Amino acid sequence: MYTNAQYIAFNGTNTGIRCDINGVTSFVPIDPANTDYANIMALVAAGELTIAPAE
Amino acid sequence: MSIILNGTTGITTPADTVTGNATVGGTLTVTGATTLTGAATLTGGIAGDVSSTGTLAMGSSFKRNRIINGNMVVDQRNAGASVTIGSSAGTYTLDRWCAQSVNASKFSVQQNAGSITPPTGFTKYLGVTSLAATSSGSTDYYGFFQAIEGFNTADLAWGTASAASVTISFWVRSSLTGSFSASLTNSGSNRSYPFSYTVNAANTWEQKTVTVAGDTSGTWLTDNSTGIYLRFDLGTGSSFRGTAGTWAAANYYGVTGAVSVVGTNGATFYVTGVQLEVGTKATPYETQIYSDQLAQCQRYYRGSTPVVVNPVATPSTIFTNSMRTSPTLTGGGTGFTIISQTGDTTTCYQTSSANQNLTFSAEL
């Protein structure tokens, strides 16, 4: 289960997504081959998850 | 010239020479040295040792097993502790083995659950214990699988007319008996081959072997995505079950009518020695050097890795050589941020320098 998703950035460029995966804070790379990233984007496409912009 | 031996006729004259073809329809026993200068086909086994002064060419490689951690030795995540499977499309348990349950708390997975003696030659097994008497709905799924990376199945040429056969072998022990099921499926979930195997006696280790003719249809990925799923069915619903022994354009996890492990509270299902190899012959389990097997597992997951993470002025670079792809990371401290990632390195920083135990997951 993916919750509390937010982009993280370095020098103004998004470098990953911080989110809770089954309650554990995790850092997911922006990489379509990464299974977590693919799952997150599928949830976003389905309207079931929103990724907050980087702070 | 040809000599045809169809019975137990022996050749006792030392000088007998066959310059043409020889076909032996019965049993041929050679007690002395034998020199084969041409091609020879042996469809039976060789009981003794085989020596060669030349090159030994094989139809399959010495790295035969496409399953990683088939002997269930590596358990980085849980170190032998029991895991109750939640309601999830996938919960990794022992390395490379992922459990699936549509409902939470229906079964647990533990390395060497029940602490029984593994089959000879093995020290570990994956143990499933049913935690309830669950009646499966038609679209429910219960089971576990290994996703084999496409790079490791590309040579099978599945999806083409040249698709190679594979043979799956494993040891199984269950408190239940009857016809159980498993399957091979593709990453697109639109090609599958359910197959049955019979557990004849309760609470007894039995070795099972199934040969599958390669799929000449469908799309089977050959890169760092999933090439083939090998799934063990624990009581999946009817929508995910099909006819045994045939390829289907469907997503079948098991066989219609197969035993449901989750259907009986307290039922056990143990497995080890899982091997999937090219060809129609099940060879003995291919034991790996432990460090090699751990390295194979760490392409997909690295357990708690102690590193010093520095502030942004001197960011830390962590080497995770040859992970499948950029990994998901857990365990960062306050202000933890990733600067860049590949399968080989992660560059990151956090608010203040501190030791962190990081984990990296690039599972399929």
Side-chain angles (χ1 to χ4, degrees):
Chain A
M1 179 179 292
Y2 300 87
T3 56
N4 300 324
Q6 181 179 27
Y7 281 107
I8 55 176
F10 182 74
N11 287 341
T13 301
N14 288 338
T15 57
I17 299 168
R18 181 176 56 235
C19 69
D20 294 337
I21 302 177
N22 296 325
V24 178
T25 300
S26 305
F27 298 85
V28 178
I30 299 174
D31 177 355
N34 179 287
T35 305
D36 290 316
Y37 180 76
N39 291 341
I40 287 171
M41 298 317 290
L43 290 171
V44 170
E48 299 174 12
L49 181 67
T50 301
I51 308 173
E55 293 175 345
Chain B
M1 169 186 156
S2 296
I3 295 177
I4 310 295
L5 303 177
N6 287 316
T8 57
T9 304
I11 300 174
T12 57
T13 304
D16 281 344
T17 299
V18 179
T19 57
N21 299 320
T23 300
V24 179
T27 300
L28 176 65
T29 301
V30 180
T31 55
T34 304
T35 301
L36 302 173
T37 55
T41 300
L42 300 173
T43 55
I46 298 175
D49 299 327
V50 177
S51 300
S52 173
T53 57
T55 301
L56 184 61
M58 297 173 60
S60 62
S61 69
F62 281 99
K63 292 282 189 183
R64 304 184 312 278
N65 195 0
R66 309 307 168 92
I67 296 293
I68 294 173
N69 200 30
N71 60 359
M72 313 299 178
V73 168
V74 183
D75 186 15
Q76 293 185 83
R77 292 173 179 81
N78 304 299
S82 178
V83 178
T84 298
I85 306 304
S87 58
S88 168
T91 301
Y92 274 90
T93 59
L94 281 64
D95 277 58
R96 301 297 297 123
W97 292 102
C98 186
Q100 288 184 297
S101 180
V102 71
N103 293 308
S105 304
K106 298 303 184 184
F107 68 93
S108 62
V109 176
Q110 183 179 18
Q111 186 185 55
N112 285 13
S115 301
I116 54 99
T117 303
T120 300
F122 297 93
T123 59
K124 305 293 182 185
Y125 57 89
L126 183 154
V128 170
T129 304
S130 174
L131 302 178
T134 302
S135 178
S136 298
S138 61
T139 59
D140 290 352
Y141 49 84
Y142 301 99
F144 61 94
F145 67 83
Q146 179 162 141
I148 307 173
E149 189 172 344
F151 283 136
N152 297 331
T153 59
D155 62 312
L156 302 180
W158 284 17
T160 78
S162 303
S165 296
V166 297
T167 296
I168 303 147
S169 55
F170 54 94
W171 286 88
V172 62
R173 171 183 167 131
S174 178
S175 61
L176 307 175
T177 60
S179 182
F180 290 65
S181 69
S183 73
L184 299 176
T185 60
N186 69 349
S187 62
S189 302
N190 53 19
R191 297 295 299 173
S192 52
Y193 184 99
F195 59 86
S196 299
Y197 58 93
T198 301
V199 173
N200 298 295
N203 300 316
T204 305
W205 285 109
E206 300 175 11
Q207 189 178 29
K208 305 301 173 186
T209 298
V210 177
T211 294
V212 178
D215 188 13
T216 57
S217 301
T219 299
W220 297 86
L221 301 182
T222 57
D223 56 13
N224 66 341
S225 305
T226 297
I228 298 172
Y229 288 105
L230 170 62
R231 300 180 184 277
F232 286 90
D233 175 28
L234 297 174
T236 294
S238 58
S239 294
F240 291 112
R241 285 179 158 185
T243 303
T246 186
W247 284 105
N251 188 26
Y252 293 144
Y253 291 10
V255 174
T256 302
V259 168
S260 170
V261 175
V262 298
T264 301
N265 189 19
T268 57
F269 179 88
Y270 303 157
V271 66
T272 193
V274 184
Q275 183 152 288
L276 186 152
E277 58 194 305
V278 179
T280 58
K281 172 80 173 173
T283 63
Y285 183 79
E286 184 181 44
T287 301
Q288 305 276 331
I289 299 296
Y290 176 78
S291 56
D292 290 350
Q293 184 166 326
L294 178 61
Q296 291 170 11
C297 293
Q298 289 182 333
R299 175 168 171 77
Y300 306 92
Y301 180 83
R302 288 174 181 260
S304 183
T305 305
V307 297
V308 177
V309 181
N310 296 320
V312 67
T314 55
S316 302
T317 296
I318 304 157
F319 294 94
T320 56
N321 294 344
S322 301
M323 293 199 80
R324 183 186 66 84
T325 191
S326 307
T328 297
L329 190 154
T330 61
T334 303
F336 183 89
T337 298
I338 292 171
I339 296 174
S340 64
Q341 266 191 304
T342 69
D344 294 320
T345 62
T346 293
T347 302
C348 57
Y349 68 90
Q350 60 187 27
T351 303
S352 57
S353 181
N355 292 319
Q356 304 289 165
N357 288 315
L358 304 180
T359 63
F360 303 84
S361 176
E363 289 286 5
L364 286 160

